[in-house]
Amino acid sequence: MCYHAFNGAFRHYVCVACRLSFKGSAWPSRKRICPGCRQELVFAGYDFAAPRRRDTKAWSVVATVLAEGLTYDHRPGCGCSRLPSFRPRTQSEVRVRRRAAEELGLPLSVTLARRDAFTPESRDELPSSSSAVEPDTT
């Protein structure tokens, strides 16, 4: 059963430049604009916990995670039967994951989502077209 569908969860929207976060309902789809800089807010997920406004180091980590297209959801997708997502919280964790992405030749978004930067996880494996069953021609 989907956790977010039944608890009335709000979506979190973020302006990284102003270091502001807002909550909004899930169903009215409209552009969300920052009142400070008039830029469009970025969707940060259902379970985003904003750092303090003066904590620039933590906001730089948030900016890195959101720039890679990841969100702060406790469970990916709808939340049904999946492992909790990991997101780095410090700049040192981001540095380790950048180094792992360079050494392993992976996108940064994959290594940012790993609990251990150098250890593959089951959610890293994407279905490839070569694994499809080939028809027998004999």
Side-chain angles (χ1 to χ4, degrees):
M1 188 171 287
C2 182
Y3 172 76
H4 294 299
F6 297 106
N7 73 348
F10 286 104
R11 294 177 174 217
H12 293 259
Y13 295 93
V14 174
C15 178
V16 177
C18 298
R19 298 190 300 261
L20 294 173
S21 69
F22 301 95
K23 290 182 185 177
S25 64
W27 49 276
S29 60
R30 65 176 209 263
K31 278 189 171 182
R32 311 231 183 241
I33 306 294
C34 175
C37 64
R38 308 303 294 166
Q39 297 292 324
E40 189 171 352
L41 296 173
V42 178
F43 174 64
Y46 288 99
D47 299 324
F48 176 71
R52 292 188 183 264
R53 192 169 181 189
R54 65 181 173 260
D55 190 358
T56 56
K57 293 179 181 180
W59 276 100
S60 69
V61 173
V62 169
T64 303
V65 170
L66 295 177
E68 288 299 317
L70 300 174
T71 58
Y72 289 88
D73 288 324
H74 180 64
R75 301 187 186 274
C78 69
C80 301
S81 69
R82 291 234 174 144
L83 294 172
S85 297
F86 172 81
R87 298 295 179 258
R89 298 181 63 96
T90 62
Q91 288 180 334
S92 64
E93 289 177 345
V94 172
R95 279 193 301 272
V96 168
R97 279 152 182 78
R98 282 188 192 202
R99 189 174 57 230
E102 290 173 5
E103 289 180 14
L104 299 174
L106 294 171
L108 181 59
S109 60
V110 171
T111 56
L112 282 176
R114 289 181 176 179
R115 292 193 184 281
D116 181 22
F118 292 95
T119 306
E121 293 183 358
S122 61
R123 72 182 104 192
D124 294 345
E125 300 170 10
L126 300 173
S128 63
S129 60
S130 63
S131 65
V133 176
E134 305 265 337
D136 190 16
T137 57
T138 57

